[in-house]
PDB file of all heavy atoms in Angstrom:
ATOM      1  N   GLU L 169      76.982  22.167  55.538  1.00  0.00           N
ATOM      2  CA  GLU L 169      77.681  20.913  55.776  1.00  0.00           C
ATOM      3  C   GLU L 169      76.659  19.919  56.324  1.00  0.00           C
ATOM      4  O   GLU L 169      76.231  20.002  57.477  1.00  0.00           O
ATOM      5  CB  GLU L 169      78.802  21.119  56.800  1.00  0.00           C
ATOM      6  CG  GLU L 169      79.643  19.900  57.061  1.00  0.00           C
ATOM      7  CD  GLU L 169      80.736  19.684  56.015  1.00  0.00           C
ATOM      8  OE1 GLU L 169      81.001  20.586  55.212  1.00  0.00           O
ATOM      9  OE2 GLU L 169      81.329  18.581  56.025  1.00  0.00           O
ATOM     10  N   PHE L 170      76.235  18.994  55.460  1.00  0.00           N
ATOM     11  CA  PHE L 170      75.259  17.997  55.864  1.00  0.00           C
ATOM     12  C   PHE L 170      75.953  16.806  56.521  1.00  0.00           C
ATOM     13  O   PHE L 170      77.179  16.744  56.580  1.00  0.00           O
ATOM     14  CB  PHE L 170      74.458  17.528  54.642  1.00  0.00           C
ATOM     15  CG  PHE L 170      73.647  18.599  53.981  1.00  0.00           C
ATOM     16  CD1 PHE L 170      74.066  19.184  52.788  1.00  0.00           C
ATOM     17  CD2 PHE L 170      72.453  19.035  54.548  1.00  0.00           C
ATOM     18  CE1 PHE L 170      73.311  20.172  52.176  1.00  0.00           C
ATOM     19  CE2 PHE L 170      71.694  20.027  53.948  1.00  0.00           C
ATOM     20  CZ  PHE L 170      72.124  20.598  52.754  1.00  0.00           C
ATOM     21  N   LYS L 171      75.177  15.862  56.980  1.00  0.00           N
ATOM     22  CA  LYS L 171      75.738  14.638  57.555  1.00  0.00           C
ATOM     23  C   LYS L 171      76.484  13.867  56.464  1.00  0.00           C
ATOM     24  O   LYS L 171      76.211  14.008  55.277  1.00  0.00           O
ATOM     25  CB  LYS L 171      74.623  13.757  58.128  1.00  0.00           C
ATOM     26  CG  LYS L 171      73.808  14.410  59.223  1.00  0.00           C
ATOM     27  CD  LYS L 171      74.608  14.633  60.494  1.00  0.00           C
ATOM     28  CE  LYS L 171      73.713  15.165  61.610  1.00  0.00           C
ATOM     29  NZ  LYS L 171      74.465  15.409  62.858  1.00  0.00           N
ATOM     30  N   GLY L 172      77.439  13.038  56.877  1.00  0.00           N
ATOM     31  CA  GLY L 172      78.228  12.266  55.933  1.00  0.00           C
ATOM     32  C   GLY L 172      77.420  11.165  55.259  1.00  0.00           C
ATOM     33  O   GLY L 172      76.348  10.760  55.748  1.00  0.00           O
ATOM     34  N   ILE L 173      77.934  10.671  54.144  1.00  0.00           N
ATOM     35  CA  ILE L 173      77.229   9.657  53.371  1.00  0.00           C
ATOM     36  C   ILE L 173      76.971   8.397  54.202  1.00  0.00           C
ATOM     37  O   ILE L 173      75.889   7.814  54.142  1.00  0.00           O
ATOM     38  CB  ILE L 173      78.018   9.314  52.094  1.00  0.00           C
ATOM     39  CG1 ILE L 173      77.956  10.502  51.119  1.00  0.00           C
ATOM     40  CG2 ILE L 173      77.457   8.060  51.427  1.00  0.00           C
ATOM     41  CD1 ILE L 173      78.802  10.328  49.876  1.00  0.00           C
ATOM     42  N   GLY L 174      77.941   7.995  55.004  1.00  0.00           N
ATOM     43  CA  GLY L 174      77.768   6.797  55.828  1.00  0.00           C
ATOM     44  C   GLY L 174      76.622   6.940  56.811  1.00  0.00           C
ATOM     45  O   GLY L 174      75.830   6.005  56.995  1.00  0.00           O
ATOM     46  N   GLU L 175      76.530   8.093  57.435  1.00  0.00           N
ATOM     47  CA  GLU L 175      75.445   8.321  58.400  1.00  0.00           C
ATOM     48  C   GLU L 175      74.087   8.371  57.701  1.00  0.00           C
ATOM     49  O   GLU L 175      73.100   7.835  58.197  1.00  0.00           O
ATOM     50  CB  GLU L 175      75.679   9.610  59.180  1.00  0.00           C
ATOM     51  CG  GLU L 175      74.640   9.852  60.251  1.00  0.00           C
ATOM     52  CD  GLU L 175      74.992  10.982  61.207  1.00  0.00           C
ATOM     53  OE1 GLU L 175      76.146  11.447  61.182  1.00  0.00           O
ATOM     54  OE2 GLU L 175      74.103  11.389  61.980  1.00  0.00           O
ATOM     55  N   VAL L 176      74.053   9.016  56.524  1.00  0.00           N
ATOM     56  CA  VAL L 176      72.800   9.113  55.783  1.00  0.00           C
ATOM     57  C   VAL L 176      72.330   7.733  55.322  1.00  0.00           C
ATOM     58  O   VAL L 176      71.170   7.362  55.516  1.00  0.00           O
ATOM     59  CB  VAL L 176      72.943  10.060  54.578  1.00  0.00           C
ATOM     60  CG1 VAL L 176      71.717   9.979  53.664  1.00  0.00           C
ATOM     61  CG2 VAL L 176      73.149  11.493  55.051  1.00  0.00           C
ATOM     62  N   THR L 177      73.235   6.954  54.727  1.00  0.00           N
ATOM     63  CA  THR L 177      72.833   5.624  54.257  1.00  0.00           C
ATOM     64  C   THR L 177      72.460   4.718  55.427  1.00  0.00           C
ATOM     65  O   THR L 177      71.532   3.914  55.324  1.00  0.00           O
ATOM     66  CB  THR L 177      73.947   4.963  53.415  1.00  0.00           C
ATOM     67  OG1 THR L 177      75.150   4.893  54.188  1.00  0.00           O
ATOM     68  CG2 THR L 177      74.215   5.756  52.143  1.00  0.00           C
ATOM     69  N   GLY L 178      73.164   4.876  56.542  1.00  0.00           N
ATOM     70  CA  GLY L 178      72.826   4.091  57.730  1.00  0.00           C
ATOM     71  C   GLY L 178      71.442   4.427  58.258  1.00  0.00           C
ATOM     72  O   GLY L 178      70.693   3.542  58.684  1.00  0.00           O
ATOM     73  N   THR L 179      71.083   5.695  58.202  1.00  0.00           N
ATOM     74  CA  THR L 179      69.759   6.122  58.654  1.00  0.00           C
ATOM     75  C   THR L 179      68.679   5.585  57.730  1.00  0.00           C
ATOM     76  O   THR L 179      67.624   5.123  58.190  1.00  0.00           O
ATOM     77  CB  THR L 179      69.685   7.657  58.725  1.00  0.00           C
ATOM     78  OG1 THR L 179      70.658   8.140  59.661  1.00  0.00           O
ATOM     79  CG2 THR L 179      68.300   8.126  59.152  1.00  0.00           C
ATOM     80  N   ILE L 180      68.933   5.620  56.432  1.00  0.00           N
ATOM     81  CA  ILE L 180      67.964   5.090  55.470  1.00  0.00           C
ATOM     82  C   ILE L 180      67.754   3.599  55.704  1.00  0.00           C
ATOM     83  O   ILE L 180      66.617   3.108  55.715  1.00  0.00           O
ATOM     84  CB  ILE L 180      68.436   5.364  54.030  1.00  0.00           C
ATOM     85  CG1 ILE L 180      68.306   6.864  53.715  1.00  0.00           C
ATOM     86  CG2 ILE L 180      67.658   4.529  53.018  1.00  0.00           C
ATOM     87  CD1 ILE L 180      68.956   7.293  52.416  1.00  0.00           C
ATOM     88  N   ARG L 181      68.836   2.877  55.925  1.00  0.00           N
ATOM     89  CA  ARG L 181      68.723   1.431  56.174  1.00  0.00           C
ATOM     90  C   ARG L 181      67.995   1.162  57.491  1.00  0.00           C
ATOM     91  O   ARG L 181      67.205   0.217  57.584  1.00  0.00           O
ATOM     92  CB  ARG L 181      70.105   0.790  56.176  1.00  0.00           C
ATOM     93  CG  ARG L 181      70.773   0.786  54.809  1.00  0.00           C
ATOM     94  CD  ARG L 181      72.090   0.028  54.821  1.00  0.00           C
ATOM     95  NE  ARG L 181      72.786   0.162  53.561  1.00  0.00           N
ATOM     96  CZ  ARG L 181      73.943   0.800  53.389  1.00  0.00           C
ATOM     97  NH1 ARG L 181      74.540   1.363  54.425  1.00  0.00           N
ATOM     98  NH2 ARG L 181      74.505   0.890  52.201  1.00  0.00           N
ATOM     99  N   ALA L 182      68.266   1.984  58.496  1.00  0.00           N
ATOM    100  CA  ALA L 182      67.592   1.810  59.785  1.00  0.00           C
ATOM    101  C   ALA L 182      66.090   2.048  59.658  1.00  0.00           C
ATOM    102  O   ALA L 182      65.303   1.524  60.449  1.00  0.00           O
ATOM    103  CB  ALA L 182      68.186   2.764  60.821  1.00  0.00           C
ATOM    104  N   ALA L 183      65.708   2.834  58.636  1.00  0.00           N
ATOM    105  CA  ALA L 183      64.291   3.103  58.383  1.00  0.00           C
ATOM    106  C   ALA L 183      63.702   2.071  57.428  1.00  0.00           C
ATOM    107  O   ALA L 183      62.591   2.265  56.918  1.00  0.00           O
ATOM    108  CB  ALA L 183      64.125   4.505  57.806  1.00  0.00           C
ATOM    109  N   GLY L 184      64.439   0.988  57.188  1.00  0.00           N
ATOM    110  CA  GLY L 184      63.942  -0.101  56.352  1.00  0.00           C
ATOM    111  C   GLY L 184      64.143   0.090  54.869  1.00  0.00           C
ATOM    112  O   GLY L 184      63.613  -0.665  54.061  1.00  0.00           O
ATOM    113  N   GLY L 185      64.929   1.106  54.506  1.00  0.00           N
ATOM    114  CA  GLY L 185      65.080   1.432  53.094  1.00  0.00           C
ATOM    115  C   GLY L 185      66.371   0.968  52.458  1.00  0.00           C
ATOM    116  O   GLY L 185      67.268   0.434  53.108  1.00  0.00           O
ATOM    117  N   VAL L 186      66.449   1.187  51.158  1.00  0.00           N
ATOM    118  CA  VAL L 186      67.637   0.915  50.349  1.00  0.00           C
ATOM    119  C   VAL L 186      68.174   2.256  49.876  1.00  0.00           C
ATOM    120  O   VAL L 186      67.410   3.110  49.407  1.00  0.00           O
ATOM    121  CB  VAL L 186      67.284   0.029  49.135  1.00  0.00           C
ATOM    122  CG1 VAL L 186      68.488  -0.130  48.222  1.00  0.00           C
ATOM    123  CG2 VAL L 186      66.763  -1.321  49.601  1.00  0.00           C
ATOM    124  N   ALA L 187      69.476   2.475  50.006  1.00  0.00           N
ATOM    125  CA  ALA L 187      70.090   3.756  49.661  1.00  0.00           C
ATOM    126  C   ALA L 187      70.799   3.694  48.315  1.00  0.00           C
ATOM    127  O   ALA L 187      71.525   2.741  48.031  1.00  0.00           O
ATOM    128  CB  ALA L 187      71.088   4.162  50.743  1.00  0.00           C
ATOM    129  N   LEU L 188      70.566   4.699  47.486  1.00  0.00           N
ATOM    130  CA  LEU L 188      71.217   4.827  46.185  1.00  0.00           C
ATOM    131  C   LEU L 188      71.685   6.267  46.010  1.00  0.00           C
ATOM    132  O   LEU L 188      71.032   7.200  46.479  1.00  0.00           O
ATOM    133  CB  LEU L 188      70.252   4.482  45.043  1.00  0.00           C
ATOM    134  CG  LEU L 188      69.655   3.085  45.008  1.00  0.00           C
ATOM    135  CD1 LEU L 188      68.557   3.014  43.965  1.00  0.00           C
ATOM    136  CD2 LEU L 188      70.752   2.072  44.697  1.00  0.00           C
ATOM    137  N   CYS L 189      72.789   6.455  45.302  1.00  0.00           N
ATOM    138  CA  CYS L 189      73.290   7.805  45.050  1.00  0.00           C
ATOM    139  C   CYS L 189      72.604   8.368  43.804  1.00  0.00           C
ATOM    140  O   CYS L 189      72.638   7.760  42.734  1.00  0.00           O
ATOM    141  CB  CYS L 189      74.805   7.785  44.852  1.00  0.00           C
ATOM    142  SG  CYS L 189      75.546   9.427  44.826  1.00  0.00           S
ATOM    143  N   ALA L 190      71.945   9.515  43.952  1.00  0.00           N
ATOM    144  CA  ALA L 190      71.255  10.152  42.828  1.00  0.00           C
ATOM    145  C   ALA L 190      72.248  10.934  41.973  1.00  0.00           C
ATOM    146  O   ALA L 190      73.226  11.471  42.489  1.00  0.00           O
ATOM    147  CB  ALA L 190      70.170  11.094  43.357  1.00  0.00           C
ATOM    148  N   HIS L 191      71.969  10.990  40.667  1.00  0.00           N
ATOM    149  CA  HIS L 191      72.779  11.743  39.690  1.00  0.00           C
ATOM    150  C   HIS L 191      74.249  11.849  40.119  1.00  0.00           C
ATOM    151  O   HIS L 191      74.799  12.936  40.322  1.00  0.00           O
ATOM    152  CB  HIS L 191      72.195  13.134  39.432  1.00  0.00           C
ATOM    153  CG  HIS L 191      71.586  13.800  40.638  1.00  0.00           C
ATOM    154  ND1 HIS L 191      72.308  14.254  41.703  1.00  0.00           N
ATOM    155  CD2 HIS L 191      70.297  14.078  40.931  1.00  0.00           C
ATOM    156  CE1 HIS L 191      71.514  14.791  42.594  1.00  0.00           C
ATOM    157  NE2 HIS L 191      70.281  14.693  42.156  1.00  0.00           N
ATOM    158  N   ALA L 192      74.876  10.688  40.240  1.00  0.00           N
ATOM    159  CA  ALA L 192      76.225  10.609  40.812  1.00  0.00           C
ATOM    160  C   ALA L 192      77.289  11.301  39.976  1.00  0.00           C
ATOM    161  O   ALA L 192      78.316  11.721  40.499  1.00  0.00           O
ATOM    162  CB  ALA L 192      76.610   9.143  41.009  1.00  0.00           C
ATOM    163  N   ALA L 193      77.090  11.421  38.688  1.00  0.00           N
ATOM    164  CA  ALA L 193      78.105  12.031  37.834  1.00  0.00           C
ATOM    165  C   ALA L 193      77.832  13.508  37.561  1.00  0.00           C
ATOM    166  O   ALA L 193      78.487  14.119  36.734  1.00  0.00           O
ATOM    167  CB  ALA L 193      78.190  11.280  36.505  1.00  0.00           C
TER     168      ALA L 193
END
Side-chain angles (χ1 to χ4, degrees):
E169 183 82 12
F170 297 104
K171 300 292 186 181
I173 290 175
E175 184 169 348
V176 170
T177 57
T179 299
I180 289 170
R181 292 185 187 113
V186 174
L188 300 170
C189 190
H191 36 69

